[in-house]
Amino acid sequence: MEKTNESVVAQDRKVVVAGKAYFLVPNLNALRGINAALGGLAPAFTKVRDLNFDAMATVLVSASGMKPGAAEFDELVRDIWQAENKADIGGALSDYLVVMLNGGRNVRDDADSGDAGGTPGKS
């Protein structure tokens, strides 16, 4: 099977929690970890969107390839809960999950997809 540019894996994304940088890698191991822990990408996306801190930590752990013990995982959940930028963390994790929903590939911009619809609700 020939590979095309459409199969290019997206770049890692960086998320900072409590001053520590985590690099989110869109790969099959991360997908399997998220699927096993949260029941799939759609439930993971919903939980992250709802700022479920345990789910956010689970996605972050799976995406960064961490293998934390229970105490380290609890510390990460606490750090997310206490973070001033938890909405930014949730946004970055949501963006990552969108890439994962796209098979680990970059999501095309509207300009690239030929969508000339403009702003919804405007003519």
Side-chain angles (χ1 to χ4, degrees):
M1 182 156 136
E2 186 177 322
K3 299 265 183 184
T4 66
N5 286 342
E6 289 295 316
S7 66
V8 174
V9 175
Q11 292 183 341
D12 299 355
R13 296 171 184 273
K14 182 172 109 174
V15 175
V16 178
V17 178
K20 182 176 178 185
Y22 298 88
F23 293 91
L24 313 179
V25 182
N27 63 33
L28 190 57
N29 287 334
L31 173 71
R32 288 181 170 153
I34 293 166
N35 284 344
L38 299 173
L41 291 176
F45 188 81
T46 299
K47 290 175 183 182
V48 167
R49 182 198 65 210
D50 292 343
L51 296 178
N52 176 314
F53 304 130
D54 284 297
M56 292 170 73
T58 298
V59 171
L60 199 144
V61 162
S62 294
S64 64
M66 295 174 55
K67 305 277 189 230
E72 188 179 5
F73 184 83
D74 287 347
E75 183 178 336
L76 179 57
V77 172
R78 187 192 70 239
D79 288 345
I80 292 170
W81 170 53
Q82 293 179 341
E84 291 181 17
N85 66 332
K86 64 181 70 62
D88 293 338
I89 296 167
L93 294 174
S94 293
D95 290 347
Y96 171 80
L97 290 170
V98 169
V99 167
M100 294 297 282
L101 283 167
N102 197 39
R105 295 179 304 273
N106 285 317
V107 179
R108 294 172 52 167
D109 291 337
D110 284 344
D112 293 339
S113 66
D115 179 17
T119 305
K122 303 238 178 184
S123 325

